[in-house]
Amino acid sequence: MAFQFNFAIEDNESNESDAHGEADLQLDPPKHKQTTDAAAACSPWLGTAKHAGKDLSEKLCFPAAREHHVPKDVSKVLENKVLETVSDLRCVKVSAVEMTRRGGTHGEDIVWKSVSAHSDLIPGVYEGGLKIWECTFDLLEYLAEGGVQFANKAVLDLGCGAGLLGIAALQGKAAQVHFQDYNSTVIDEITLPNVVANCVNDGNGTGGADERKIVKPPSKKPRKAECLPDALSRCRFFSGEWSEVSRLLLSSSEPRSKYDVILTSETIYNPDYYGALHDTLSQLLDRNGRVYLASKVHYFGVGGGVYLFEKLVEERKVFTISTVKEIDKGLKRFVMEMAFKDSC
């Protein structure tokens, strides 16, 4: 079944189908042929829909990794943004962003390209960061249960999208939280505004219109903790492919420790990215750190899933990987914990 995603996360009917495993990244390869000629030229996979046997990173020309800085006047970040409440956190309403970015004249033009391709995933062009994926709520629930302590720790929200996991870490008093997404548009239009909306409290959310709409909260709310105004000074934002972002971080002249905790959700849908993901985790995780990864058991139409990723991890013999939470509703989902073998 080919599934065409709706960017509007407030669509309750769509969310209910997600909960029953109907929205599990089912892509229709022929529709990828509808992407732009420029994208196809940059990515042979987009033009041919064939990628067997080789890591996709060898075939795609990735956008340059870069850091996105918080503007001095943070109130401007939420100008013309419509806010709603998602899992007890304030978030930009994605359907409103979609309406303003649909014209194909803004930066990466990922909204226009996604709509034109009838797909919420275009490898090497757009990797789904405008949608809040189901397993994000699973991992938020696990964090709310007290499974992870963030106080005074360095945290990376990898493939952050809306940034809900990183915001939860901020509320847990993490010393620093870095956010990474493939697309710069996602960081500028979704992640950064969401962090600002949850970190700056003037009683009205710093100026954005607020619908106060609850969207598919987990059964347990994240631990409530006031996000102090200095929280933004503990955040950094990056866009680009994992390997490129890792290179940027590791080549920085600023001395920095590696991450104590890496949070990532629904990032193992495509086996072609497993090598880059595994390398990124091994390069950026502290020797005594932990990775918490949320995923569906299988992603139909793309081929990835928990068991295939576990196999790669076991073959590489760098990490241990274990299940810390299992969700049986609809398509089975997992929260996994990873640690370096020599730290166990």
Side-chain angles (χ1 to χ4, degrees):
M1 177 185 73
F3 189 86
Q4 298 176 12
F5 289 99
N6 187 342
F7 286 105
I9 60 175
E10 73 279 7
D11 186 338
N12 290 330
E13 182 178 351
S14 173
N15 284 329
E16 288 174 4
S17 83
D18 270 2
H20 290 85
E22 294 297 323
D24 48 0
L25 287 180
Q26 302 199 44
L27 304 183
D28 185 352
K31 289 183 178 178
H32 288 297
K33 296 180 181 179
Q34 300 176 25
T35 54
T36 64
D37 291 340
C42 189
S43 167
W45 188 85
L46 295 179
T48 64
K50 295 178 181 179
H51 59 291
K54 287 190 177 182
D55 191 302
L56 196 58
S57 63
E58 297 177 2
K59 298 187 175 186
L60 300 175
C61 55
F62 296 118
R66 68 184 183 94
E67 181 168 5
H68 300 242
H69 298 284
V70 180
K72 291 182 179 179
D73 184 359
V74 295
S75 65
K76 292 187 178 299
V77 174
L78 293 181
E79 281 185 353
N80 303 316
K81 293 291 191 295
V82 178
L83 300 179
E84 59 185 355
T85 302
V86 179
S87 194
D88 210 32
L89 298 173
R90 294 166 63 78
C91 294
V92 170
K93 190 173 183 180
V94 178
S95 58
V97 174
E98 180 190 6
M99 292 300 295
T100 62
R101 306 281 299 203
R102 219 179 243 219
T105 59
H106 304 277
E108 298 170 304
D109 297 335
I110 59 174
V111 172
W112 174 76
K113 289 174 181 176
S114 179
V115 171
S116 299
H118 303 287
S119 175
D120 203 27
L121 287 172
I122 307 174
V125 178
Y126 167 57
E127 296 291 345
L130 293 173
K131 178 181 173 67
I132 300 179
W133 300 94
E134 183 181 15
C135 292
T136 297
F137 297 106
D138 297 331
L139 187 45
L140 280 173
E141 185 171 311
Y142 178 72
L143 301 180
E145 293 165 352
V148 183
Q149 299 301 315
F150 294 114
N152 302 315
K153 292 184 177 179
V155 179
L156 173 63
D157 186 347
L158 190 69
C160 61
L164 303 189
L165 299 173
I167 293 169
L170 277 175
Q171 293 184 334
K173 303 186 185 303
Q176 58 178 310
V177 180
H178 293 175
F179 298 82
Q180 176 275 335
D181 195 87
Y182 184 84
N183 293 107
S184 61
T185 299
V186 172
I187 294 293
D188 290 336
E189 297 290 333
I190 306 294
T191 316
L192 181 53
N194 285 351
V195 175
V196 169
N198 286 279
C199 289
V200 179
N201 181 20
D202 64 1
N204 294 304
T206 67
D210 190 353
E211 295 195 347
R212 291 288 178 183
K213 188 169 185 178
I214 305 296
V215 181
K216 194 178 180 285
S219 58
K220 294 183 180 180
K221 301 289 187 184
R223 294 189 303 277
K224 289 187 177 181
E226 185 178 13
C227 207
L228 300 176
D230 71 344
L232 283 174
S233 67
R234 294 185 272 134
C235 299
R236 293 176 70 183
F237 301 85
F238 301 89
S239 65
E241 182 266 343
W242 292 321
S243 299
E244 296 297 320
V245 171
S246 294
R247 189 175 296 112
L248 175 65
L249 289 169
L250 295 172
S251 65
S252 173
S253 59
E254 299 179 16
R256 57 170 300 277
S257 59
K258 295 189 177 183
Y259 298 103
D260 301 300
V261 179
I262 298 178
L263 305 171
T264 188
S265 174
E266 308 232 35
T267 48
I268 61 170
Y269 56 87
N270 191 333
D272 289 313
Y273 297 152
Y274 286 3
L277 176 59
H278 185 280
D279 290 346
T280 297
L281 297 176
S282 64
Q283 290 166 3
L284 297 182
L285 186 68
D286 183 79
R287 296 310 299 179
N288 296 310
R290 295 291 184 271
V291 176
Y292 294 94
L293 182 155
S295 173
K296 292 183 176 73
V297 65
H298 184 72
Y299 292 90
F300 297 101
V302 192
V306 167
Y307 301 136
L308 193 59
F309 185 70
E310 281 184 317
K311 181 180 178 183
L312 177 135
V313 171
E314 291 167 0
E315 288 174 349
R316 298 241 176 152
K317 299 180 180 180
V318 174
F319 293 106
T320 61
I321 184 167
S322 59
T323 300
V324 293
K325 185 178 180 66
E326 185 173 324
I327 302 93
D328 285 319
K329 291 182 180 180
L331 187 67
K332 186 174 289 188
R333 309 186 303 278
F334 297 87
V335 175
M336 314 294 291
E337 180 183 82
M338 296 172 62
F340 284 110
K341 281 182 173 291
D342 59 10
S343 70
C344 300

